[in-house]
Amino acid sequence: MRDIALPTTQTESQSESEAPRLNRRQAAKVRTRQKVLDAARQLFAERGYEPATIRDIAKGAGMSTGAVFANFQDKAELFEAVLSTDMVKLSETMKAAAAAEGSTRTRLLAALGAGYHDSLEQLPLVQAVIARSWFQPVAAEMRTRDAIKPILSVVTDTLQAGVREGELRQDADVRLLSELIYDAFLSNYRRAAYDGWAMAQLTERMGKQVDVILAGAVSRQ
């Protein structure tokens, strides 16, 4: 009996391998949205959240305020979109730094130091993220937590590797340790914002904080 080729197999294979193409209108909308995001990111990074107006963002993108509102409901939604995109990029930078050779402490500090290096030039944006986290609605807070998950994952993955390699105790509470380290990482931005701390001071302090946080979790073998 001859094998019978199923007619759907080739079609399904083609549909999976071929990415959907955007028509001109869709492509133009994507470009417009990206221009708005780029202009918003620049203004948020330079001024923070409140001083950056939709009018100024539109001007920076070279379009009308109507074009901005056609892509984003309000400034809050635009800010969240910028935050989400930047957190993914930041986590990728930190993940690459954490892949370096060395102890768990060394890899953690490499990742956290890379995070500081990439974000200090946008300090007003970081301040805006922290400030808004105290006053935003619950739904927005949940979205912000989702946005920072990739960064937390870098810390968690590094700590889990430390457990596997025997540097940290098998019963170490990795989730709690990750949250404590991230909270310390975030709190140090106040030093940069109000005390003028540079990279060297931030990383030195972060090293001391990591030592304290991990003190009870270090394997004694």
Side-chain angles (χ1 to χ4, degrees), residues 6-205:
L6 296 177
T8 57
T9 302
Q10 185 177 2
T11 302
E12 290 174 355
S13 176
Q14 289 176 339
S15 62
E16 291 175 359
S17 62
E18 294 178 359
R21 295 181 179 179
L22 301 177
N23 60 37
R24 287 187 178 182
R25 184 176 181 180
Q26 291 170 324
K29 187 170 183 179
V30 169
R31 288 194 299 270
T32 298
R33 179 182 174 87
Q34 190 58 52
K35 286 176 67 175
V36 173
L37 282 172
D38 291 343
R41 178 181 293 103
Q42 182 175 344
L43 283 176
F44 288 142
E46 291 175 353
R47 306 179 185 178
Y49 180 78
E50 292 298 339
T53 66
I54 289 291
R55 183 184 298 277
D56 288 339
I57 291 171
K59 183 178 179 180
M63 58 188 63
S64 67
T65 56
V68 175
F69 286 120
N71 287 274
F72 299 95
Q73 181 177 347
D74 51 28
K75 189 169 73 168
E77 183 182 355
L78 179 52
F79 183 76
E80 286 183 24
V82 169
L83 173 63
S84 180
T85 301
D86 283 7
M87 289 301 100
V88 170
K89 292 179 179 178
L90 185 60
S91 68
E92 291 171 351
T93 298
M94 294 174 69
K95 184 177 181 179
E101 296 291 333
S103 65
T104 299
R105 180 184 188 275
T106 298
R107 296 196 300 270
L108 275 173
L109 293 181
L112 298 168
Y116 284 139
H117 182 272
D118 265 27
S119 56
L120 279 182
E121 291 183 356
Q122 304 182 73
L123 195 53
L125 177 58
V126 178
Q127 289 177 274
V129 172
I130 298 172
R132 280 181 54 76
S133 68
W134 284 95
F135 304 104
Q136 61 191 359
V138 174
E141 169 66 14
M142 294 302 103
R143 290 192 293 271
T144 299
R145 292 186 184 186
D146 283 339
I148 66 173
K149 278 182 180 179
I151 294 178
L152 268 173
S153 293
V154 174
V155 178
T156 300
D157 291 347
T158 305
L159 292 175
Q160 288 175 338
V163 173
R164 290 193 303 271
E165 294 162 5
E167 289 188 54
L168 301 180
R169 289 166 38 183
Q170 294 298 309
D171 62 349
D173 190 337
V174 171
R175 180 177 179 180
L176 177 59
L177 293 173
S178 299
E179 291 174 352
L180 289 173
I181 290 172
Y182 177 76
D183 288 345
F185 170 76
L186 204 61
S187 70
N188 290 335
Y189 281 105
R190 293 184 65 86
R191 301 287 186 177
Y194 298 109
D195 299 323
W197 279 22
M199 274 290 301
Q201 294 165 296
L202 291 174
T203 52
E204 181 183 0
R205 181 179 177 86

